[in-house]
Amino acid sequence: MKHIFLFLIISLFLHLDLSATIRTVSNNPDNLAQYNTIQSAVNASSSGDTILVHGSPTRYAAFTITDKRLTIIGPGWAPLQDFMAYRATVDGMSIIGVNCRHTEIQGMDFFLPVSINTSHPDSLRFFRNRFQTAFYLGNAGTYRGYVFQGNWFDLGWMSVGAGITLANFLFQNNIFYGNTSNGNFYGFTNCQNVLFDHNLWYGPAGTGTAACFGNASKNLLFTNNIFVHRNAATNVTLSVFNNNITFGAGVNNPWDAAYGNSNGGGNIENQDPMMADQSQVNAGTANPLLNFTIASGPANNSGSDGKDMGLLFDATGSLNWANSRLSRIPFVFSMNLATPTVVPGGTLQVQVEARSSN
C-alpha cells in the first residue's frame, strides 16, 4: 500500500522539470519516502531539483541549503486531504550562497527562524507558507527580487540587519497577523521598490492598534491593503499609499503628509471593509480560514486594479486566498480500495481522487 501511495504522489508531480530529480521526505514511519530528514534530501540534490516534504505529526529538524537552486514543497499550512492531513512543520531553515538564487519554498510551516545571513542569493520565492517565527536577513549588502505570496505570517516577523538594502521586493496576498512587540517588519530602512499589495493586516489585540513596522522604515509603496486595528503610520515615512483602507487603526490616515508620507489617491479612512467574517477579524481571531471575501461596501471593487481591497480571490490563476492553504501543485485528496481483498494473481482496484490547488 505504501508503494502504491508513493507512486501516485510522484505521478502527480511529473509536470515539474523532467530533467531534474524529484525527491520525497517523510519523518513519519507510517508514510513511505526516500529520505527521513529534509537535510539528507537537500544534501543529495543538485541545482534544479525538487524536494517534496510529506506532512507529519512530528516537526522536521532544521535544514540548510548551500549554493543550490532547489524547490521545496510541503502540503500547505492547512492541508485538505482526508487522510494524513498534517502540515510539514520545520525547526528553521538557512539559505546560504549566491547560487541559491531562484530557490522556491512553498507550503511549509516554519516554527523556528528562517535565516539568510551569509553570501545571500537574489530572487528567492516564498509561496503559501506559514511563518510563526522570525525571518532574518542579516548579511550587509543588497537583497534583490524576493517574492512573498499567499503566506500566513502568524505572529511572524521579518528582521533586516544593518547595512542592508532591499530592492524589488513584493509582498502580495499575505495575512500579517500582528506581532504586537516589533510589528511584522523591522529594519526596512533602506528600500528601493518594495511593494505591499493586496494584503490583510489585523490582530491579535482586537481593539488594539499595534504598529505594522517596528522601527524606522522608509520608501515603501502600499497598494490595496486592509488595515484593521493595525497602525501603518508609526515608524513609516517617505512612503506612498494608494487605494488602502483602515478601520480602527489608531492612526487611520497613515498617508497624510503629517506623518511624512504621500497620499497617492483612492485611500479610505476608518471605514468598515465589510469582509464576510468582519466581526471575527475585528476581534482578532487568529484563523486564516475565515471568510475574507467582500461582497459590498467601501472596499468592494475599490482597488487600484478594480478588484477588492485586501486579499485576492481571483477566479483564475494562483492568486486566490481560498487556495493559499495548499501548495501550488495537485494532490491526492482521497484513495479507496475497491477490492480490499485480492486473491493471488487477482486484480487490485484503487480509486483515487486528485485535486488542483491553483
Side-chain angles (χ1 to χ4, degrees):
M1 184 66 177
K2 291 181 178 178
H3 291 282
I4 293 173
F5 183 73
L6 179 61
F7 170 77
L8 290 168
I9 288 293
I10 293 175
S11 297
L12 283 174
F13 301 118
L14 287 181
H15 73 289
L16 298 173
D17 186 354
L18 295 180
S19 64
T21 299
I22 299 172
R23 293 179 170 83
T24 59
V25 179
S26 175
N27 64 1
N28 183 355
D30 294 330
N31 195 6
L32 182 67
Q34 297 164 299
Y35 299 88
N36 58 20
T37 69
I38 301 174
Q39 189 65 64
S40 59
V42 169
N43 293 345
S45 297
S46 301
S47 283
D49 289 351
T50 296
I51 297 173
L52 307 177
V53 183
H54 289 273
S56 172
T58 303
R59 293 208 307 261
Y60 287 92
F63 65 95
T64 299
I65 304 172
T66 304
D67 270 328
K68 296 177 182 179
R69 176 178 59 83
L70 300 178
T71 299
I72 298 182
I73 304 174
W77 43 258
L80 274 173
Q81 294 94 327
D82 63 358
F83 61 98
M84 295 185 295
Y86 300 115
R87 298 170 180 153
T89 304
V90 60
D91 286 339
M93 174 182 69
S94 296
I95 301 178
I96 299 171
V98 295
N99 291 323
C100 293
R101 59 184 175 272
H102 300 295
T103 284
E104 180 175 316
I105 309 295
Q106 62 168 289
M108 301 293 290
D109 179 15
F110 291 101
F111 184 75
L112 292 176
V114 174
S115 297
I116 305 172
N117 290 330
T118 306
S119 301
H120 52 272
D122 292 332
S123 302
L124 300 187
R125 295 172 291 183
F126 298 89
F127 298 143
R128 302 183 180 186
N129 304 286
R130 180 190 185 193
F131 297 102
Q132 306 181 61
T133 182
F135 192 114
Y136 292 116
L137 304 179
N139 189 53
T142 301
Y143 292 69
R144 295 181 175 88
Y146 283 40
V147 176
F148 295 80
Q149 285 182 337
N151 300 287
W152 173 25
F153 284 78
D154 184 15
L155 301 180
W157 70 98
M158 178 176 287
S159 178
V160 177
I164 290 177
T165 297
L166 306 180
N168 303 321
F169 270 53
L170 173 63
F171 297 88
Q172 186 176 52
N173 208 38
N174 304 284
I175 286 181
F176 300 120
Y177 185 70
N179 183 294
T180 56
S181 56
N182 293 321
N184 293 109
F185 296 93
Y186 189 89
F188 276 49
T189 303
N190 301 309
C191 296
Q192 303 169 3
N193 300 319
V194 175
L195 171 62
F196 292 86
D197 177 64
H198 278 291
N199 303 289
L200 170 62
W201 310 66
Y202 83 105
T207 57
T209 54
C212 298
F213 289 78
N215 72 338
S217 301
K218 303 175 183 178
N219 299 316
L220 307 174
L221 177 61
F222 297 91
T223 61
N224 308 311
N225 301 284
I226 294 178
F227 300 92
V228 177
H229 300 308
R230 297 297 306 282
N231 186 341
T234 299
N235 299 320
V236 175
T237 58
L238 303 178
S239 297
V240 179
F241 290 78
N242 295 88
N243 297 78
N244 303 276
I245 185 170
T246 61
F247 187 51
V251 174
N252 286 299
N253 57 337
W255 42 81
D256 195 275
Y259 301 104
N261 296 312
S262 298
N263 185 349
N267 296 297
I268 300 174
E269 179 180 343
N270 199 25
Q271 293 190 38
D272 188 339
M274 298 179 63
M275 290 174 276
D277 284 337
Q278 185 71 48
S279 61
Q280 294 187 63
V281 173
N282 294 345
T285 303
N287 182 2
L289 299 179
L290 295 175
N291 187 347
F292 301 107
T293 60
I294 297 171
S296 62
N300 182 239
N301 298 327
S302 298
S304 59
D305 49 9
K307 301 177 183 180
D308 296 344
M309 293 178 179
L311 299 174
L312 290 163
F313 290 89
D314 290 354
T316 59
S318 60
L319 291 177
N320 187 325
W321 183 257
N323 294 329
S324 293
R325 62 188 297 174
L326 306 165
S327 54
R328 291 178 167 179
I329 51 178
F331 63 98
V332 175
F333 176 75
S334 65
M335 181 170 59
N336 298 303
L337 296 179
T339 54
T341 302
V342 181
V343 300
T347 300
L348 175 64
Q349 296 182 356
V350 181
Q351 183 180 32
V352 176
E353 180 183 352
R355 297 186 180 182
S356 172
S357 55
N358 291 334

